[in-house]
């Protein structure tokens, strides 16, 4: 996975979608773009899941501290 | 007797991921009173030989995206849409024709697929090979309409069904290429005449490069009358045909030639 942020990966995926919508794109290019787009979305999803897991850990530790 | 029915044929190449031009045509067809609009084969999806080089998830996403859009157009423009579409099932791809109406979607799974070495849909798709089933038939504003997949036009059982069910309009989405213009024209005109029906043939545009050979899909979409004459034909450019079909024309042809009546007076061949 590259070091880009969640926002950058979503922006990449959006830009890829715009390119895919072009009428004159070849099938070969569209398949490559589609695969890149899916990769960006999957990586963004992983970043999101990791962030959710971190929040959960912080919440659990703060509950323990309050108890 | 029913009023004439306005039918539309949309002659396009593969849309890929961008279906934006559909809206222009659907709006236009609706403004001209069309109640049904038909797309050619491999317009919503790429040609089957190209599907092999695409991720399955990409093909599925294209089909899902286009279907969603067509469902919204069917409601917005109060039209029935007939569109060949490739579905991804557990075992592989299925070649179907979707009927998308304002109230729902039905699918006709093509029964006889092209089995030739250079064009082998039969091996590529997972459509089952079994006893023939009735084709897709429906009524619209008093007209009986049957959907026939392009290659199935070559087989008499489908035409026998046209006669026995008194079909007024056969919808024929195709992906004809090479130099087959005249053969298709003549077969369609002959079948329309013999089976006393209108035929709306909708052929795709575009190209497929197979190593050194260029497959050019040539359009030639046409509405053929029951008397075997071409009412309207598109050429080889992106365009739309909007025409009326009329019960009076069907009735006149049947009264004049009486093919069905002659058969009904006799027993079938043993």
């Amino acid at each position: 996975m590259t070091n880009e942020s969640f926002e950058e990966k979503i922006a990449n995926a959006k830009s890829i979608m715009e390119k895919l919508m072009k009428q004159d794109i070849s099938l070969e290019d569209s398949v490559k773009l589609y695969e890149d787009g899916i990769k960006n979305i999957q990586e963004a999803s992983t970043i999101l899941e990791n962030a959710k897991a971190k929040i959960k850990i912080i919440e659990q530790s703060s509950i323990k501290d309050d108890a | 007797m029913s009023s004439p029915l306005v039918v539309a044929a949309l002659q396009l190449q593969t849309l890929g991921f961008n279906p934006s031009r559909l809206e222009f045509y659907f709006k236009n067809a609706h403004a001209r009173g069309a109640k049904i609009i038909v797309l050619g084969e491999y317009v919503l999806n790429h040609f089957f030989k190209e599907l092999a080089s695409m991720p399955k998830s990409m093909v599925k996403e294209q089909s899902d995206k286009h279907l969603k859009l067509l469902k919204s157009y069917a409601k917005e423009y109060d039209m029935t849409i007939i569109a060949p579409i490739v579905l991804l099932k557990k075992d592989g791809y299925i070649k179907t024709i979707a009927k998308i109406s304002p109230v729902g979607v039905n699918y006709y799974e093509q029964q006889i697929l092209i089995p030739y070495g250079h064009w082998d849909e039969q091996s590529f798709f997972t459509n089952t090979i079994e006893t023939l089933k009735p084709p897709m038939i429906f009524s619209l504003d008093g007209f009986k309409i049957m959907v026939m997949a392009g290659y199935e036009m070559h087989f008499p059982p489908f035409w026998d069904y046209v006669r026995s069910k008194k079909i007024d309009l056969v919808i024929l989405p195709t992906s004809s290429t090479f130099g087959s213009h005249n053969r298709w024209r003549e077969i369609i005109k002959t079948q329309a005449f013999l089976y006393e029906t209108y035929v709306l043939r909708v052929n795709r545009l575009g190209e497929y490069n197979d190593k050194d050979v260029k497959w050019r899909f040539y359009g030639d979409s046409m509405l053929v009358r029951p008397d075997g004459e071409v009412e309207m034909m598109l050429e080889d450019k992106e365009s739309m045909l909007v025409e009326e079909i009329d019960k009076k024309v069907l009735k006149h042809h049947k009264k004049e030639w009486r093919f069905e009546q002659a058969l009904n007076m006799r027993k079938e061949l043993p």
Side-chain angles (χ1 to χ4, degrees), chain B residues 3 7 9 17-18 20 56-57 84 90 96 100 102 114 131-132 136 155 166-167 171 176 195 214 216 220 223-224:
Chain B
S3 310
V7 300
F17 264 99
N18 189 346
S20 58
K56 282 185 175 167
S57 62
K90 193 175 60 179
T96 74
I100 304 150
I114 301 177
T131 306
L132 290 178
M136 180 190 274
F155 301 94
K166 303 184 193 308
I167 298 298
I171 286 177
S176 313
Y195 291 88
K214 190 174 271 187
R216 189 175 162 272
D220 239 26
L223 177 68
V224 177

Side-chain angles (χ1 to χ4, degrees), chain A residues 20-21 23 27 30-31 34-35, chain B residues 17-18 21 46 50 57-58 61:
Chain A
L20 266 176
M21 295 294 274
Q23 298 286 354
L27 177 61
S30 69
V31 169
Y34 175 81
E35 285 170 343
Chain B
F17 264 99
N18 189 346
R21 53 176 23 104
H46 286 78
E50 294 172 317
S57 62
M58 185 178 178
E61 203 154 313

Side-chain angles (χ1 to χ4, degrees), chain A residues 55-67:
Chain A
I55 290 168
K56 209 171 178 181
I57 290 166
I58 292 166
E59 280 175 353
Q60 281 169 348
S61 69
S62 72
I63 290 167
K64 272 184 195 167
D65 290 345
D66 291 345

Side-chain angles (χ1 to χ4, degrees), chain B residues 58-85:
Chain B
M58 185 178 178
V59 176
K60 185 177 185 306
E61 203 154 313
Q62 270 187 349
S63 294
D64 291 349
K65 188 178 156 78
H66 292 328
L67 266 177
K68 193 177 167 196
L69 187 74
L70 293 180
K71 282 183 202 171
S72 73
Y73 287 157
K75 280 188 186 155
E76 186 178 349
Y77 299 115
D78 188 28
M79 271 199 284
T80 296
I81 302 163
I82 303 296
I85 191 157

Side-chain angles (χ1 to χ4, degrees), chain A residues 17-54:
Chain A
M17 196 59 209
E18 278 165 20
K19 285 179 191 161
L20 266 176
M21 295 294 274
K22 285 186 181 163
Q23 298 286 354
D24 54 354
I25 189 168
S26 71
L27 177 61
E28 200 180 344
D29 289 342
S30 69
V31 169
K32 197 178 171 308
L33 281 168
Y34 175 81
E35 285 170 343
D36 285 350
I38 293 291
K39 192 165 168 263
N40 272 282
I41 288 168
Q42 283 169 344
E43 288 177 357
S45 169
T46 305
I47 293 172
L48 195 62
E49 287 306 313
N50 289 343
K52 275 187 194 168
K54 274 183 194 166

Side-chain angles (χ1 to χ4, degrees), chain B residues 49-238:
Chain B
K49 284 178 173 252
E50 294 172 317
L51 296 181
S53 66
M54 295 168 67
K56 282 185 175 167
S57 62
M58 185 178 178
V59 176
K60 185 177 185 306
E61 203 154 313
Q62 270 187 349
S63 294
D64 291 349
K65 188 178 156 78
H66 292 328
L67 266 177
K68 193 177 167 196
L69 187 74
L70 293 180
K71 282 183 202 171
S72 73
Y73 287 157
K75 280 188 186 155
E76 186 178 349
Y77 299 115
D78 188 28
M79 271 199 284
T80 296
I81 302 163
I82 303 296
I85 191 157
V86 173
L87 301 180
L88 179 63
K89 295 275 174 73
K90 193 175 60 179
D91 299 330
Y93 294 122
I94 311 272
K95 190 173 180 223
T96 74
I97 302 175
K99 176 174 86 72
I100 304 150
S101 76
V103 293
V105 184
N106 300 92
Y107 296 96
Y108 170 66
E109 191 173 314
Q110 187 170 337
Q111 301 186 70
I112 308 181
L113 281 85
I114 301 177
Y116 308 128
H118 71 294
W119 188 326
D120 194 355
E121 289 183 342
Q122 185 175 282
S123 300
F124 181 80
F125 291 103
T126 53
N127 298 42
T128 48
I129 299 174
E130 56 192 351
T131 306
L132 290 178
K133 293 176 191 158
M136 180 190 274
I137 288 178
F138 60 97
S139 293
L140 184 66
D141 293 353
F143 286 79
K144 280 188 94 172
I145 300 173
M146 180 172 137
V147 176
M148 192 186 285
Y151 184 64
E152 291 179 344
M153 179 202 69
H154 301 92
F155 301 94
F158 296 104
W159 291 104
D160 292 341
Y161 215 72
V162 169
R163 189 186 306 286
S164 69
K165 297 295 173 188
K166 303 184 193 308
I167 298 298
D168 300 315
L169 169 68
V170 172
I171 286 177
L172 190 67
T174 63
S175 49
S176 313
T177 180
F178 306 124
S180 62
H181 307 59
N182 285 340
R183 189 176 69 240
W184 277 89
R185 281 178 205 165
E186 296 310 318
I187 294 175
I188 291 167
K189 285 160 66 177
T190 303
Q191 298 303 78
F193 179 80
L194 294 179
Y195 291 88
E196 307 174 303
T197 183
Y198 281 97
V199 179
L200 180 61
R201 182 266 188 114
V202 189
N203 193 32
R204 67 163 289 196
L205 296 172
E207 288 178 352
Y208 165 69
N209 290 310
D210 191 5
K211 294 170 192 153
D212 300 331
V213 183
K214 190 174 271 187
W215 298 36
R216 189 175 162 272
F217 301 92
Y218 53 71
D220 239 26
S221 299
M222 63 182 85
L223 177 68
V224 177
R225 294 197 309 251
D227 62 1
E229 295 298 325
V230 176
E231 178 77 28
M232 172 59 84
M233 183 162 69
L234 301 177
E235 295 178 346
D236 60 353
K237 303 282 184 296
E238 178 176 319

